Amino acid sequence: MSEIAYVNGRFMPLAEAVISVEDRGFQFADGVYEVVATYRGRPYALEPHMRRLERSLHELRISLDIGAYGLAQIIAEGIRRSGFAETLVYLQITRGTAPRHHEFPATTVLPTVVMTVKQLQRPPAECYVNGVRVISTRDLRWKRCDIKSISLLANILAKQEASEAGAFEALLVDDQGRVTEGSSTSAFRVKGGALWTAPEGPQILPSITRGILVEVARGMGLTVHQEFSSLAEFRQADEVFLAGTTTEAMGVVRVDDHVIGDGVPGPLTQKLRAAFLAANDAL
Ligand code: PDD
């Protein structure tokens, strides 16, 4: 079993993978990415991930000849070569390598396609059993958060702030006082048995896990409002949970200094998580 990389058509051990210092991903963060986890060895929700990737590429006018089908084959081959039971696949596509000029390079420059395949590390079990703490911080990101861009400076600053505060995640609050999402997760709150999560649009990433959880919740007969909430509404929620590819659905028990509910992951969070996992097992 070994960590695998793929760079522009070639598989290799991760440690041997290199790209040019003139890659526009390195110089300008001019690229997009996807993160896919496996369940029972199979890439989970691959189709929506590939659709989102194609959309991100389209929005940035990066044209990739391989297409979603070709990428799916590369992912399958990477997983096979790694030999791990469960893997985390990171896929990054940049506008390619060219002398550093801000404008797009000539069309003859091919995009750089990079993939890494590593053993999947889920958060520790106690995060799900006890729940986690989050802080709130300003959402400093750009106005196209719907594009899964590799430019993550505002996200990493927020996550670092959370980490230094001993918290799992930072909830991002925009200039209008609305909670958009976490630095690398989507955010939900529960009040009076109904769910709230920010609406799809330029302020959030259209998270695959968020979309699946919305469907799971509706399947359980719950009302889901895709509307913004204020930080105060999050702090006063009955339950709060985070969602993401590696996070799945994880209960939040404190937002800043405010204890959520009884200070343990709430009943709806637990039911949703169980239903999400059961649905994945049945795939
Ligand atoms: N992050 N919101 C943001 C800002 C994210 O970066 C992510 C994912 C999510 C959850 O999306 P999904 O359910 O599609 O994983 C929401 C990935 C995992 C990362 O950057 O590593």
Side-chain angles (χ1 to χ4, degrees):
M1 284 169 289
S2 57
E3 294 183 332
I4 296 290
Y6 168 95
V7 182
N8 293 331
R10 274 200 327 119
F11 288 95
M12 64 206 78
L14 180 62
E16 289 173 19
V18 284
I19 59 148
S20 166
V21 293
E22 288 208 303
D23 187 88
R24 287 178 66 95
F26 180 64
Q27 299 268 359
F28 292 120
D30 184 3
V32 300
Y33 76 106
E34 278 296 327
V35 179
V36 183
T38 64
Y39 283 86
R40 298 196 304 167
R42 290 208 306 265
Y44 178 67
L46 189 58
E47 246 178 65
H49 276 285
M50 292 299 101
R51 270 203 303 277
R52 184 172 66 183
L53 180 65
E54 286 192 326
R55 181 178 178 278
S56 296
L57 288 166
H58 176 78
E59 292 298 309
L60 297 185
R61 295 162 57 198
I62 298 175
S63 43
L64 186 70
D65 282 346
I66 308 173
Y69 179 70
L71 287 175
Q73 286 188 318
I74 293 166
I75 292 171
E77 179 63 14
I79 291 170
R80 194 191 64 73
R81 286 181 187 234
S82 80
F84 294 121
E86 300 294 3
T87 51
L88 190 69
V89 177
Y90 175 79
L91 195 59
Q92 173 172 313
I93 296 157
T94 73
R95 202 179 302 279
T97 298
R100 187 182 180 280
H101 299 295
H102 286 63
E103 67 270 30
F104 296 175
T107 47
T108 46
V109 172
L110 291 175
T112 304
V113 180
V114 168
M115 178 181 69
T116 63
V117 183
K118 300 184 180 183
Q119 186 164 30
L120 177 63
Q121 310 277 356
R122 292 225 178 262
E126 59 259 31
C127 289
Y128 298 101
V129 176
N130 303 330
V132 293
R133 290 177 45 205
V134 302
I135 59 158
S136 61
T137 192
R138 271 183 73 197
D139 190 343
L140 296 174
R141 298 175 302 164
W142 71 327
K143 296 187 175 73
R144 288 303 306 275
C145 298
D146 54 314
I147 298 171
K148 202 162 169 61
S149 149
I150 57 173
S151 173
L152 291 171
L153 205 44
N155 305 63
I156 63 168
L157 290 175
K159 187 72 104 187
Q160 180 61 19
E161 198 183 326
S163 173
E164 287 173 7
F168 182 85
E169 178 59 299
L171 291 183
L172 306 178
V173 184
D174 73 8
D175 289 344
Q176 296 174 54
R178 310 175 302 186
V179 173
T180 52
E181 56 187 332
S183 70
S184 67
T185 54
S186 301
F188 287 77
R189 72 178 175 99
V190 177
K191 193 74 181 176
L195 273 69
W196 274 260
T197 187
E200 281 198 11
Q203 297 88 0
I204 65 160
L205 181 78
S207 150
I208 307 301
T209 319
R210 171 191 174 283
I212 292 168
L213 284 168
V214 166
E215 290 312 310
V216 168
R218 288 188 171 144
M220 287 164 54
L222 299 170
T223 303
V224 184
H225 302 277
Q226 299 198 52
E227 294 164 19
F228 286 108
S229 305
S230 65
L231 179 58
E233 286 171 319
F234 262 85
R235 286 173 170 169
Q236 285 149 24
D238 299 334
E239 301 181 32
V240 171
F241 63 92
L242 304 171
T245 291
T246 47
T247 316
E248 300 173 327
M250 182 186 286
V252 170
V253 293
R254 238 170 84 180
V255 177
D256 299 317
D257 288 334
H258 299 254
V259 175
I260 305 300
D262 298 330
V264 291
L268 279 185
T269 302
Q270 298 199 45
K271 265 177 85 173
L272 276 164
R273 176 171 162 74
F276 175 78
L277 294 179
N280 297 353
D281 267 351
L283 288 175

